[in-house]
Amino acid sequence: MIQIICRSEAYIYNVYHMIKAFYPSEDVVSQVEEKASNYVTVLLQDGSMIVVDADYISEELSEKEVKYRIDTFIYQKLADVTGHTLAWGILTGVRPTKIAMNKLEEGWNQETFVPWFMDDCKVSRQKAELSWKIAERERELLQRLDYQDGYSLYVGIPFCPSVCTYCSFSSGALAEWEHRVEDYLQALCKELCFIGKRSAGKKLNSIYIGGGTPTTLSASQMDRLLDCIEEYFPREYLLEYTVEAGRPDSITREKLEVIKKHGITRISINPQSMQQKTLEAIGRKHSVEEIIEAYHLAREIGFDNINMDIIAGLPGEDMEDMQDTLRQIERLAPDSLTVHSLAIKRAAKMELKDLEQDTQKISRTLSGMILEASEAAKRMDLVPYYLYRQKNIAGNFENVGYAKVDKAGIYNILIMEEKQSIIAAGAGASTKIVLPEAILVPGSKKKKMTRLIRVENVKAIDAYIERIDEMIERKGEWLWH
């Protein structure tokens, strides 16, 4: 076990996640001792200590500067102790490309940004260059959007054929919730009706139906949901309409034909792996052949923008497995490919102890897998267009979306850059409202300003159904005020 003692709670988050990046399988506990003489003390599992004392922190520094000095000190000491560095250096946030985007908008160029990012945040050259390239592509795509009067819509379907062992989303197996699907759809359509009416006069730029697995709905249920969206949401300014078909064991010809009939422009068919042993290990009840059949069926019906997701670092997989998965995906030639690094969260069935304990081996293997995926994307003429990270991500790596030049997912970029409001409906859905001007954080005891308001729906499916009026009222407080 590793223990963190901090003088202020403000220092714990970054230090905790940095330690977890170096020691992913170790238990880490933290406590605040306001009268502690040191700013931060880290007690490592071997009994040694890392101490940030008062002599290292000048009283003239701002709170932000104090946190930066603590982070860089702890990072360097952990690098010295373990003998290796982290690809993303001291960064613990999920949106590293926002830093590149901010510098790009300030007028920086790549030659200035890359060495600065490497020195200031201790990231590798490869990640610094990748961040800049993605920021450039994001800006180009986002210029098509209306930030002031535009918005995007997310619709959540929290059901799956089965729950994968690595998954922590608020979704449930269809067999357990089949008796409540109709009630859920009724509540969801009620929320969509409210959002659509309240958003009249705004410009809807993208729609994303995700989950869970939206195609766990029957064809008739999917048809009713899409009819509801058509009734309340005009498409005059719509640039992209995505349905995450996701699991091949939920895809049928009838469902794809319904989706196509309603003008959806982009779908996902997500194998995660093309190795049968892995699909069985992670709790997927379908075969590799079913993935291929679902993909060809979607092409036959006329979908010309198909994304596929894979995960690097799944238990039991080595480099040869990843190479074989990539070879099979290359033969299919999707229009975009999202490469995730495995992240294990507390709500998932899988645990970190299920993974390889050797941190350096994890890092080497994942680094090789990610490089192989990048090279495969190049061969398919797919370029990186968005990037994000997650807590407890194996090897401290990232998730990258690759796409053909005209097939990049606009919604995915909006989630990362937070430049346009995303109004979300469904259980566990999180609305992000971007305000024209900064306001005091609602409910905050400190004077902190924000331009982003989050409105969360309850995660539990039954609670969402029973409390739908409350979910609508929460949104009404902020929606377009």
Side-chain angles (χ1 to χ4, degrees), residues 66-91:
V66 170
K67 290 173 71 175
Y68 174 76
R69 294 213 72 184
I70 290 171
D71 292 348
T72 52
F73 183 90
I74 296 290
Y75 174 81
Q76 190 57 59
K77 291 297 182 182
L78 289 171
D80 291 342
V81 168
T82 62
H84 74 277
T85 58
L86 302 176
W88 287 103
I90 65 171
L91 297 181

Side-chain angles (χ1 to χ4, degrees), residues 437-467:
E437 296 179 356
I439 64 168
L440 285 172
V441 176
S444 175
K445 296 179 182 178
K446 298 180 180 179
K447 289 187 176 181
K448 185 178 179 182
M449 306 296 286
T450 184
R451 285 193 60 207
L452 186 70
I453 298 296
R454 297 176 187 270
V455 185
E456 308 280 350
N457 281 354
V458 292
K459 293 183 178 181
I461 296 168
D462 50 359
Y464 171 78
I465 295 168
E466 303 303 327
R467 296 166 59 187

Side-chain angles (χ1 to χ4, degrees), residues 6 67 133 231 233 259 271 385 390-391 398 404 418 424 448 470:
C6 291
K67 290 173 71 175
K133 289 176 184 177
E231 181 178 356
F233 297 91
I259 293 169
Y385 75 94
Q390 294 170 271
K391 295 176 185 176
E398 69 285 324
K404 292 180 179 177
E418 298 178 330
K448 185 178 179 182
E470 180 188 334

Side-chain angles (χ1 to χ4, degrees), residues 198-256:
R198 181 62 70 91
S199 302
K202 295 292 182 179
K203 300 175 182 178
L204 179 60
N205 289 156
S206 73
I207 303 173
Y208 193 102
I209 302 179
T213 306
T215 42
T216 51
L217 298 179
S218 69
S220 63
Q221 289 168 337
M222 178 67 73
D223 199 25
R224 273 185 282 134
L225 173 62
L226 298 178
D227 276 341
C228 174
I229 293 171
E230 283 185 16
E231 181 178 356
Y232 296 108
F233 297 91
R235 298 193 188 183
E236 182 181 358
Y237 301 100
L238 195 64
L239 301 173
E240 176 183 275
Y241 196 163
T242 299
V243 171
E244 228 183 284
R247 297 275 292 267
D249 47 341
S250 71
I251 295 172
T252 65
R253 176 180 290 275
E254 188 181 9
K255 292 178 187 180
L256 289 177

Side-chain angles (χ1 to χ4, degrees), residues 370-426:
I370 290 167
L371 180 60
E372 288 284 343
S374 175
E375 292 299 318
K378 285 181 185 177
R379 292 192 294 271
M380 291 186 282
D381 294 323
L382 309 179
V383 294
Y385 75 94
Y386 91 109
L387 179 153
Y388 71 101
R389 302 177 66 227
Q390 294 170 271
K391 295 176 185 176
N392 297 334
I393 200 164
N396 195 43
F397 285 100
E398 69 285 324
N399 308 319
V400 179
Y402 301 87
K404 292 180 179 177
V405 173
D406 59 341
K407 300 293 175 68
I410 294 170
Y411 178 85
N412 291 330
I413 298 172
L414 287 172
I415 282 287
M416 294 303 107
E417 293 303 325
E418 298 178 330
K419 291 181 177 292
Q420 186 189 67
S421 294
I422 297 175
I423 314 303

Side-chain angles (χ1 to χ4, degrees), residues 14 102 143 157 223 249 347 352 402 407:
N14 285 2
N102 289 339
Q143 286 173 347
I157 306 298
D223 199 25
D249 47 341
L352 282 170
Y402 301 87
K407 300 293 175 68

Side-chain angles (χ1 to χ4, degrees), residues 246-270:
R247 297 275 292 267
D249 47 341
S250 71
I251 295 172
T252 65
R253 176 180 290 275
E254 188 181 9
K255 292 178 187 180
L256 289 177
E257 287 175 345
V258 166
I259 293 169
K260 185 66 177 174
K261 178 186 75 172
H262 284 276
I264 278 69
T265 59
R266 181 175 181 271
I267 65 171
S268 291
I269 298 173
N270 301 330

